[in-house]
Amino acid sequence: MFTKILIANRGEIACRVAATARKMAIQTVAVYSKADAQAKHVAACDEAVYIGEGEGNSPKESYLRWQAILAAAQATGAQAIHPGYGFLSENEDFAQACADAGLVFIGPPPSAIKAMGLKAESKQLMEKAGVPLVPGYHGANQDEALLQKEADRIGYPALIKASAGGGGKGMRIVERSEDFAAALASCKREAINSFGDEAVLIEKYVQRPRHIEIQVFGDAHGNYVYLFERDCSVQRRHQKVLEEAPAPGMPQSMREAMGKAAVDAARAVNYTGAGTVEFIVEQQGGYDAPDKMKFYFMEMNTRLQVEHPVTEAITGLDLVEWQLRVASNEKLPMRQDQLKINGHAIEARICAENPDNGFLPATGSLNVYRKPLHSAFERSDLRIDDGVRQGDAISPYYDSMIAKLIVHGATREEALAKLDRALSETQIVGLATNVQFLRHVVKSDAFAQGKLDTALIQREEKVLFHQEKLPLAGVISAWIAHVLIAERASQTSDPFSKRDGWRPFGITTRRFAFEWHDQPVQAELSYLHDGATLLHITQADTKLQGLLTCEQDATVEDLDVKVSFADQRFKASVHASSHEKGQVASIFTAQGATQLIVIDPFIQIAEGGAQAGRLTAPMPGKLVSFAVKAGDTVKAGQTLAVMEAMKMEHTIAAPKDGVVSEILFAPGDQVSDGAELIKLAA
Ligand code: ADP
Ligand code: ADP
Ligand code: MG
C-alpha cells in the first residue's frame, strides 16, 4: 500500500479522499490555487503545494496544470495521485504522464479512459460487447445531409449530443425535422467552444426517461463486480440534483441484467478501479410499471462520481479505500455474491444558486454555515461531505456545490424523512442556496411516490418554485422574539432602561416596519402592566394579534429562540445582516426558511437615479462575447453579451429599447459582481 498520495483536486472530494487516507494511515499532499490557500482541503492534508501560475485561480491556471501537479508529487515523495472528479480525472494524457513519471494514477488505465472518452466511439465499442444502446447514429461520417437523414430515420424528438461532451453540456433536443439543421449548427458551436471537438451523435430522445447508473469496480487481476445502482433522475439542465440507491421500483431481474451489462462494458475496455456505467431507462408503461422499463447504455464515467456516497451507505463499503487497494495491485476486497444492499440512501447536492431565478449560480461568503446535528440521527445515518467552513467564500472559479447531505434509512420513506430533517437543519446565510428548493422536491408527491423521470423538476414546477412555507405570524414573531432576547441579554438592572416587561407607567408601544416578499408589513408591540407583550401584525387586510412570549433556546447557540405567539409555539433561528433599507433577517424553522427585510426608519433610500440604464454583471465571471457594438440600436430582451461563470453561460439582455453608447469590457475580461458592462442610452 502507498505511504503517501497526492490529491489533485479541491473541495469536498479532496477532503473526502483525505479522510480515507487518514483512516488507512496514508500521508496526503494537497494542491491548491491562490483562492484556495486557506481552504479546508489544504488543512485536511498533511502537506500542501501551491500549483498556480499567473492569477492562479482559474482551473487552467491551477488545478489543470498537470506538469506542476506531477512536480509536486515528485517533490513531496508521493507515490500515487488521486484525481477526484472533474479537472484531470478523465484526462488520458495525464494518466499516461503519471505512469511515465513513475507515479500511480488512481483510476483506470489510459487506454480505458480513451476508449470511453468519446460518447460515439464508446457506443461503437459497447455495441460490439453486446450492451444495449439507445437507437441512434454514432458513426464517424459527419456529413450534414447524412446526419439529417439519420435523424429522420430515428424519428423525433431526437437528441444531438457532442461526442466529447460532459457535465450536461453540448446537447440539443430536436422536435421536428425542419429544426434539425439549426440545432445541429448550434450544438456544433457549443461542442467546439467547450470541448474543442465538433463531432456529434444522434439518439432517439427517450420519453419519460430515468437516469439509472451502475457502480462497477475492476482489479488488475481480471475480477469485476457491480455495486448496484443509483437513480439520478432528478436533474436540472441535465445535471444531477438528488441521487438515491437503490433505484425505486427496480426489479431484481433488471438490476442483475444492468449489472451484467455494466460489467461487460468495463471488461470490454480492461477497466480497473471505480467506474460508473450510465444508462437511460425508458418507462414504456408509465411511472408505475417497473416491469416495462427498458435500459440503454448512455456513457461510462471513468472515475469516482459525486454521488458515490449513496452506494457506500447501502453497501457499508468505502469506495476510496477500494480505489487505493486496486491501484496498489490488490485484488477486489469482495466477490459479487458477498455484496448486499442494506436499506435506502439519498444524497442532496447543496449548491450556491437561486432556483427561483433559473438556478443562477451565486457567489459570496458563507457568513453562517450551520450543519444538521449528528446527535439527532443514528450515527451512521447522516453524512455531510463538504469542502468549506463557515466564513469561506464560494468563488466564481469553480463549481457551485457547497456540500452534499447523505442520509440512510431502513426504507426509502425513512430516508426521505431524514433528508428533509437534515435539510431543515442546514442554515446558510450570505448567498443564495437551493436548500429550501431541495426540501420542496423531497416533499413533492411525485418524488415521494417515486414517479421519477428527468423532467420531474419541470413537471412539478408549480409546487417547487416560488414557495413560501412560513406563515406571516411566524416570521414576524420570530424576528421580534429575536430582538427582545438580544435586548434582555444586554440590559442592566436599572428598571428604566429595561425594554421588556415591567414599566413604571402604563403601556408602552414600539412600532416595526418590514418588507416581506416585496409587500409592506407593520407590527406593534405593546408592553402590558403585568409584563406581558402583546403583538399586532398588519399586512394589507390581514390583522393578527396575540400574546408573544419568548426565551432563548439554551441548548444551542444564542441565535436560537423559542417563540410562542397567539396559539403557536415553535423554535426559530434568526440571523441578521445589514441591508440598504436596514437589516435583512434570515429566519429558519422546521417548516421552512425565509428572508425578511427589517426597515430602519432612519435610512432614506434614494429613489431611482444611479441604477437606471446601467447594465451590470449579475455575478463575478468572465465575458465570453458581446453581441452588439457601440452605436447599435437594440430592442428590449435582445442579447447584448454572454458571460461565463461557474461553468455556465449567462445571457445579458437589454432591459429596454435603446442605443448602445459604450462597451466597457472586452471578451475574455474577468469582471466582478455588479461591474457595469455596457452603457445604454434611451
Ligand atoms: P457525476 O455523474 O459524478 O455527478 P458530473 O457530470 O456532475 O458527474 O461531473 C462531475 C464534475 O465534473 C462536475 O464538477 C462537473 O462540472 C465536472 N465535469 C464533468 N465532465 C466535464 C467536462 N467534460 N468538462 C468540464 N467539467 C466536467
Ligand atoms: P453528460 O456527459 O453530460 O453527463 P450524458 O450522455 O450522460 O451526458 O447525458 C446527460 C443527461 O441527459 C442524462 O442524465 C439524461 O438526463 C439526458 N439524456 C441523455 N441521453 C438521453 C436520451 N437519449 N433521451 C433522453 N434523455 C437523455
Ligand atoms: Mg453523464
Side-chain angles (χ1 to χ4, degrees):
M1 182 50 64
F2 314 114
T3 55
K4 193 187 259 191
I5 62 168
L6 180 142
I7 304 170
N9 215 299
R10 65 181 300 280
E12 62 92 16
I13 189 62
C15 294
R16 190 257 163 276
V17 172
T20 291
R22 188 173 325 112
K23 185 185 80 182
M24 296 173 72
I26 297 170
Q27 296 270 309
T28 47
V29 182
V31 293
Y32 62 93
S33 64
K34 197 170 270 174
D36 281 343
Q38 307 294 327
K40 184 175 172 181
H41 80 272
V42 172
C45 292
D46 300 302
E47 291 169 67
V49 180
Y50 176 64
I51 49 159
E53 72 164 2
E55 280 186 27
N57 281 323
S58 68
K60 228 189 186 146
E61 289 177 325
S62 56
Y63 298 101
L64 292 175
R65 296 191 64 227
W66 42 284
Q67 281 81 0
I69 290 172
L70 292 176
Q74 282 168 328
T76 54
Q79 300 115 18
I81 297 186
H82 195 300
Y85 53 71
F87 298 127
L88 296 167
S89 61
E90 294 181 279
N91 185 320
E92 78 239 32
D93 296 331
F94 177 66
Q96 185 59 52
C98 286
D100 295 344
L103 293 159
V104 176
F105 174 79
I106 302 171
S111 56
I113 301 179
K114 182 162 198 284
M116 290 297 183
L118 292 174
K119 292 181 203 290
E121 271 85 343
S122 70
K123 283 187 170 143
Q124 293 162 16
L125 243 157
M126 290 304 105
E127 199 162 37
K128 276 193 213 126
V131 177
L133 298 184
V134 188
Y137 170 79
H138 41 257
N141 188 337
Q142 296 283 311
D143 177 63
E144 276 174 38
L146 174 89
L147 293 175
Q148 171 88 54
K149 224 175 79 198
E150 287 294 334
D152 292 345
R153 175 184 63 80
I154 295 159
Y156 297 91
L159 187 63
I160 311 177
K161 275 191 198 179
S163 185
K169 267 192 167 184
M171 283 190 273
R172 294 290 181 283
I173 300 169
V174 192
E175 302 284 350
R176 304 171 311 172
S177 180
E178 50 271 44
D179 301 335
F180 182 83
L184 176 66
S186 130
C187 186
K188 280 190 166 177
R189 218 165 28 238
E190 182 170 328
I192 199 90
N193 283 335
S194 301
F195 312 109
D197 177 350
E198 64 169 12
V200 298
L201 58 98
I202 303 165
E203 277 177 5
K204 170 182 168 191
Y205 188 69
V206 174
Q207 299 292 312
R208 250 186 257 122
R210 276 169 75 171
H211 173 121
I212 301 181
E213 57 186 35
I214 303 279
Q215 175 72 55
V216 291
F217 247 98
D219 65 19
H221 310 275
N223 302 304
Y224 292 93
V225 295
Y226 63 91
L227 283 76
F228 316 109
E229 77 278 5
R230 295 183 286 257
D231 192 313
C232 313
S233 300
V234 182
Q235 304 183 342
R236 55 138 173 72
R237 274 199 227 101
H238 303 298
Q239 291 168 344
K240 299 160 186 169
V241 174
L242 287 168
E243 302 108 338
E244 56 185 311
M250 170 74 106
Q252 180 59 24
S253 57
M254 180 166 158
R255 172 175 296 132
E256 283 167 18
M258 288 179 77
K260 182 181 173 302
V263 165
D264 287 347
R267 205 189 304 273
V269 295
N270 294 316
Y271 201 82
T272 61
T276 296
V277 183
E278 297 190 329
F279 294 94
I280 188 109
V281 173
E282 192 163 25
Q283 305 185 91
Q284 293 178 333
Y287 298 113
D288 299 315
D291 51 316
K292 295 220 176 67
M293 295 198 292
K294 275 185 88 172
F295 66 89
Y296 306 104
F297 173 85
M298 198 159 44
E299 64 164 344
M300 181 167 188
N301 291 328
T302 54
R303 56 175 161 88
L304 196 67
Q305 308 257 125
V306 174
E307 58 275 19
H308 75 278
V310 294
T311 299
E312 298 185 319
I314 60 157
T315 57
L317 301 170
D318 179 336
L319 299 193
V320 173
E321 181 185 334
W322 277 42
Q323 286 189 298
L324 292 168
R325 294 200 180 286
V326 167
S328 59
N329 247 328
E330 290 182 27
K331 286 194 172 147
L332 288 179
M334 289 172 117
R335 295 188 314 267
Q336 192 66 50
D337 60 5
Q338 294 172 304
L339 292 161
K340 299 235 150 29
I341 298 179
N342 166 29
H344 198 95
I346 310 185
E347 173 182 281
R349 298 190 190 195
I350 298 180
C351 297
E353 63 185 20
N354 187 346
D356 288 343
N357 187 8
F359 295 100
L360 192 71
T363 55
S365 286
L366 295 165
N367 298 335
V368 175
Y369 175 35
R370 295 172 87 189
K371 307 184 219 186
L373 293 171
H374 275 92
S375 56
F377 296 83
E378 288 281 329
R379 231 189 126 55
S380 58
D381 282 357
L382 169 68
R383 167 170 164 185
I384 304 157
D385 280 16
D386 62 16
V388 287
R389 295 156 301 198
Q390 182 160 294
D392 285 353
I394 302 296
S395 75
Y397 306 112
Y398 316 110
D399 76 28
S400 62
M401 197 164 73
I402 300 170
K404 308 186 299 199
L405 287 187
I406 305 104
V407 294
H408 178 259
T411 60
R412 183 172 192 262
E413 206 185 346
E414 197 184 306
L416 281 179
K418 285 181 177 164
L419 181 56
D420 184 54
R421 166 132 197 212
L423 287 165
S424 80
E425 293 179 0
T426 304
Q427 302 180 0
I428 296 174
V429 178
L431 36 68
T433 73
N434 62 345
V435 173
Q436 298 307 312
F437 171 77
L438 290 167
R439 291 192 73 187
H440 305 330
V441 178
V442 169
K443 289 182 128 159
S444 69
D445 289 341
F447 185 71
Q449 293 163 11
K451 292 191 179 355
L452 301 177
D453 70 1
T454 58
L456 185 139
I457 289 178
Q458 279 151 284
R459 193 156 41 87
E460 299 296 319
E461 59 181 2
K462 282 201 182 67
V463 297
L464 300 182
F465 297 105
H466 301 287
Q467 302 293 303
E468 179 53 76
K469 299 292 177 189
L470 289 185
L472 177 66
V475 174
I476 304 299
S477 60
W479 170 257
I480 294 177
H482 165 79
V483 170
L484 294 180
I485 285 172
E487 289 174 356
R488 262 184 225 162
S490 64
Q491 85 189 357
T492 64
S493 54
D494 166 16
F496 292 93
S497 65
K498 270 192 167 181
R499 301 194 69 178
D500 70 325
W502 184 83
R503 271 292 190 289
F505 314 106
I507 299 173
T508 49
T509 298
R510 295 167 72 180
R511 292 199 164 75
F512 297 85
F514 305 98
E515 234 175 72
W516 192 42
H517 295 295
D518 298 325
Q519 301 299 317
V521 182
Q522 284 83 36
E524 254 182 43
L525 185 72
S526 308
Y527 295 84
L528 308 182
H529 297 289
D530 58 358
T533 38
L534 181 68
L535 176 62
H536 292 262
I537 302 169
T538 313
Q539 183 182 45
D541 296 338
T542 309
K543 290 195 192 311
L544 306 165
Q545 91 164 42
L547 289 174
L548 175 77
T549 60
C550 54
E551 60 182 296
Q552 191 164 317
D553 187 353
T555 54
V556 218
E557 293 167 43
D558 57 351
L559 307 159
D560 297 325
V561 290
K562 280 189 191 159
V563 189
S564 157
F565 173 63
D567 52 359
Q568 294 170 44
R569 316 178 123 261
F570 61 97
K571 289 185 187 183
S573 304
V574 181
H575 309 270
S577 20
S578 64
H579 181 271
E580 53 173 11
K581 293 183 181 171
Q583 284 177 289
V584 57
S586 300
I587 298 170
F588 299 88
T589 77
Q591 250 183 82
T594 197
Q595 291 208 325
L596 174 71
I597 295 171
V598 183
I599 295 174
D600 181 338
F602 297 108
I603 294 183
Q604 300 286 322
I605 309 264
E607 289 295 320
Q611 293 296 323
R614 273 165 58 96
L615 269 159
T616 57
M619 72 196 75
K622 199 175 87 180
L623 279 163
V624 176
S625 60
F626 285 93
V628 292
K629 54 185 189 318
D632 284 0
T633 304
V634 297
K635 290 240 161 291
Q638 183 177 335
T639 299
L640 302 180
V642 177
M643 271 186 73
E644 187 183 274
M646 309 186 95
K647 292 190 188 159
M648 289 194 337
E649 288 192 355
H650 305 277
T651 303
I652 315 267
K656 53 176 188 178
D657 297 356
V659 177
V660 176
S661 53
E662 200 180 345
I663 305 245
L664 299 160
F665 287 93
D669 285 354
Q670 193 77 31
V671 295
S672 57
D673 193 2
E676 186 167 12
L677 304 177
I678 293 172
K679 280 200 200 304
L680 201 59

